[in-house]
Amino acid sequence: MAEREFSFWDKKAETMPRNEIETIQLELLKKQVENALLTPFYKERLTKVGITSPNDIKSLDDLKRIPFTTKHDLREVYPYGLLAVPHSEIVRVHASSGTTGTPTVIYLTAKDVDMAADTMARGLAAAGCNRYDTCQNMMTYGLFTGGMSFHYGAEKLGMTVVPTSSGNTLRQIKFMHDFGTSVTHATPSYMLHLHQAMKESEYKREEFKWRIGISGAEPYSEQLRNKMEQELGIEVYNCYGMSELNGPGVAFECQLRQGMHVWEDRYIMEIINPDTLEPVKDGEEGELVMTILCRDAMPLLRYRTRDLTHVITEPCACGRTHRRIARFTGRTDDMLIINGVNVFPSQIEEVLLKAKGVGANYLIVVDKKGDLDKLTVQVEVTPEVFADDARVLNNLRDTLKSEMQALITINPAIELKEPGSIPQAETKAKRVNDLRPKD
Ligand code: DLL
């Protein structure tokens, strides 16, 4: 049988021997440490552990001397505390939600933007996309990286990009039909929603050129991927990323779809035990920790992603030497991902604590409405408000709704409850009830 041909963007870089990857990692790590020392935050952190010059990094093992960086740290240095180049070099800013109202921000030079696009193009080529494809990007454009960062990578590969952004499903379907869209980029929940709407539309499946769906930004199971592939008649590729690491495309599945290749000449990955903070054994599950090597504007050393996964130790038959990680199994914090948007319970609490008339207890309920996630916040009100007329309750509901939407960008349903009606936990209060099926 003839050997299967796999598609590449930069075959040399993607298939280089492991020792070459490590040589590049060491060289780029030194450069990152040099940049980091230009920021007051890292200068203090690194000096404390005896690293005052890039020459203190002699081997990749020295990475372990560097303290971890967390989302909390990024909030502390908001907005520009990790700037390692003159501000005039910055051409783009992105942000993602923090645990409170303060977002975590990243900034990029023109070279950084190009590197991120190149990394994304690698992933898209690995998934079998090419310049003859028309790609509809259904992720939100704006501060979220799923829009523009993906867009630049898709253009770099030479695809025709249709930047529809999220929502407006009937228009999405019309454009997919009229433009001959062959590749889509959407969250898994939106893919299913889209498919349902497509079945109910005036078009027939055969009238579409849809062949590939790139899906990420939220966890999904292998069963859900299989369901999407069968029902939609396309290949579905998992794509991982986070805004702090330049957005989507940090890790991407190749055409074999057995785990996501992490581009190790651009990121150093570690998997640690989240309790002991020590590295786990090869192939064991733990928290992914990443050091970015492909960004000048903003260094990020040993960043705790909070995402749980493991390294697939066997080499991939596609020929890529960059190791793969498995589907994520959860997080080590309480972040919820609702239709691809990150939400921390603490953000909801922040709004409730500020509002007048809110009682002792609340409960965040996440459920499915059709294929999409639905967020409901049940809130006990004070006895005074409860006894007041309907107008007062309606005003409170509207205020909570609009303040939460402003902070978390999604629109929650607010259910106001009688005082004492939400069961009081005996020990730790249960603030979140996630009723979504696991697959
Ligand atoms: O979600 C970037 C992205 C956009 C990735 C489009 C893929 C596609 P953030 O908003 O910063 O960035 O959220 C990052 O989302 O820490 C994971 O918990 C989760 N996540 C992202 N991709 C996956 C995936 C973007 N493929 C957070 N599987 C991460 C599971 C994912 N979880």
Side-chain angles (χ1 to χ4, degrees):
M1 206 169 80
E3 230 176 75
R4 183 167 172 191
E5 284 270 338
F6 295 105
S7 55
F8 290 89
W9 169 245
D10 183 349
K11 191 165 185 182
K12 190 160 171 282
E14 291 169 51
T15 59
M16 69 179 128
R18 292 291 311 171
N19 63 342
E20 278 180 36
I21 295 182
E22 283 167 18
T23 306
I24 292 176
Q25 285 186 330
L26 180 58
E27 190 187 313
L28 294 178
L29 176 62
K30 286 175 159 214
K31 173 84 184 103
Q32 287 300 321
V33 167
E34 186 177 5
N35 267 6
L37 285 165
L38 297 173
T39 70
F41 170 83
Y42 275 123
K43 191 173 169 67
E44 193 195 326
R45 286 255 171 128
L46 294 175
T47 309
K48 265 196 193 143
V49 295
I51 299 171
T52 55
S53 128
N55 296 329
D56 291 323
I57 305 292
K58 299 209 165 31
S59 76
L60 284 176
D61 248 10
D62 284 326
L63 182 68
K64 298 202 181 65
R65 293 171 55 198
I66 299 175
F68 295 107
T69 308
T70 62
K71 212 178 206 13
H72 175 80
D73 294 327
L74 294 189
R75 274 180 40 224
E76 296 282 296
V77 298
Y78 174 86
Y80 283 122
L82 290 183
L83 192 62
V85 296
H87 200 299
S88 55
E89 297 287 312
I90 300 301
V91 298
R92 188 177 321 158
V93 174
H94 279 289
S96 139
S97 57
T99 47
T100 68
T102 311
T104 48
V105 182
I106 63 155
Y107 14 96
L108 306 159
T109 65
K111 184 175 150 223
D112 297 341
V113 168
D114 196 48
M115 280 298 269
D118 187 77
T119 312
M120 175 64 69
R122 265 193 202 179
L124 290 168
C129 303
N130 61 54
R131 56 184 305 107
Y132 302 103
D133 279 307
T134 293
C135 173
Q136 202 161 313
N137 187 10
M138 304 177 183
M139 293 261 188
T140 311
Y141 281 65
L143 287 171
F144 179 55
T145 49
M148 279 173 80
S149 302
F150 178 90
H151 183 116
Y152 273 55
E155 275 188 357
K156 182 117 191 149
L157 183 67
M159 293 202 271
T160 306
V161 190
V162 188
T164 42
S165 195
S166 53
N168 207 338
T169 306
L170 292 181
R171 196 183 60 155
Q172 299 279 11
I173 294 171
K174 176 179 167 50
F175 283 168
M176 283 179 75
H177 178 268
D178 297 353
F179 293 138
T181 298
S182 49
V183 177
T184 54
H185 182 219
T187 57
S189 35
Y190 193 69
M191 292 264 279
L192 289 170
H193 179 70
L194 185 72
H195 177 238
Q196 191 52 38
M198 208 175 230
K199 281 202 295 200
E200 289 160 14
S201 77
E202 61 192 284
Y203 307 111
K204 292 199 179 60
R205 175 66 182 93
E206 316 79 83
E207 295 172 40
F208 293 88
K209 294 204 173 124
W210 201 11
R211 67 185 191 95
I212 289 178
I214 310 289
S215 212
E218 64 188 20
Y220 57 114
S221 63
E222 202 54 41
Q223 289 91 309
L224 186 65
R225 183 232 294 271
N226 292 339
K227 181 177 167 193
M228 289 196 279
E229 294 204 334
Q230 276 158 20
E231 291 192 6
L232 279 55
I234 58 172
E235 289 182 347
V236 174
Y237 288 86
N238 197 2
C239 157
Y240 170 73
M242 69 194 309
S243 81
E244 295 91 315
L245 301 172
N246 284 357
V250 173
F252 226 109
E253 281 185 324
C254 66
Q255 285 159 299
L256 292 170
R257 281 173 291 154
Q258 287 162 2
M260 297 178 280
H261 291 276
V262 173
W263 305 115
E264 291 185 273
D265 55 340
R266 298 194 173 164
Y267 298 92
I268 300 181
M269 85 163 141
E270 299 170 82
I271 310 277
I272 61 161
N273 176 322
D275 299 320
T276 63
L277 305 184
E278 291 298 323
V280 298
K281 287 205 197 82
D282 237 15
E284 266 179 24
E285 177 159 291
E287 182 182 324
L288 180 70
V289 169
M290 294 290 243
T291 298
I292 189 162
L293 301 174
C294 56
R295 189 166 66 202
D296 291 340
M298 178 186 166
L300 200 54
L301 306 173
R302 303 193 84 198
Y303 187 63
R304 290 190 60 181
T305 65
R306 306 284 172 180
D307 291 314
L308 290 168
T309 183
H310 66 265
V311 169
I312 299 170
T313 48
E314 303 84 56
C316 186
C318 74
R320 287 179 181 80
T321 45
H322 299 249
R323 288 176 299 165
R324 289 166 295 160
I325 48 172
R327 228 168 247 291
F328 291 91
T329 54
R331 288 184 54 92
T332 62
D333 64 7
D334 57 356
M335 186 178 95
L336 296 161
I337 307 184
I338 300 171
N339 293 323
V341 178
N342 304 346
V343 177
F344 287 93
S346 53
Q347 293 176 297
I348 290 174
E349 187 169 275
E350 190 178 314
V351 172
L352 296 177
L353 289 177
K354 274 195 309 216
K356 263 214 175 93
V358 167
N361 254 329
Y362 70 91
L363 184 66
I364 298 165
V365 183
V366 195
D367 205 351
K368 282 272 176 206
K369 190 175 179 196
D371 294 312
L372 295 179
D373 298 334
K374 180 168 183 281
L375 169 67
T376 306
V377 185
Q378 300 178 346
V379 187
E380 278 182 16
V381 295
T382 57
E384 298 74 47
V385 168
F386 193 69
D388 223 322
D389 65 35
R391 223 184 28 205
V392 176
L393 284 168
N394 285 343
N395 282 348
L396 178 60
R397 190 182 299 113
D398 291 349
T399 310
L400 294 177
K401 204 174 168 68
S402 65
E403 288 192 3
M404 279 183 206
Q405 194 181 7
L407 198 58
I408 62 179
T409 74
I410 49 180
N411 199 356
I414 306 284
E415 284 176 12
L416 297 181
K417 299 271 191 190
E418 192 178 342
S421 61
I422 298 178
Q424 182 80 44
E426 279 173 15
T427 50
K428 224 171 137 162
K430 187 175 186 291
R431 298 295 194 197
V432 179
N433 195 4
D434 196 338
L435 300 169
R436 291 174 291 187
K438 290 291 165 254
D439 43 55

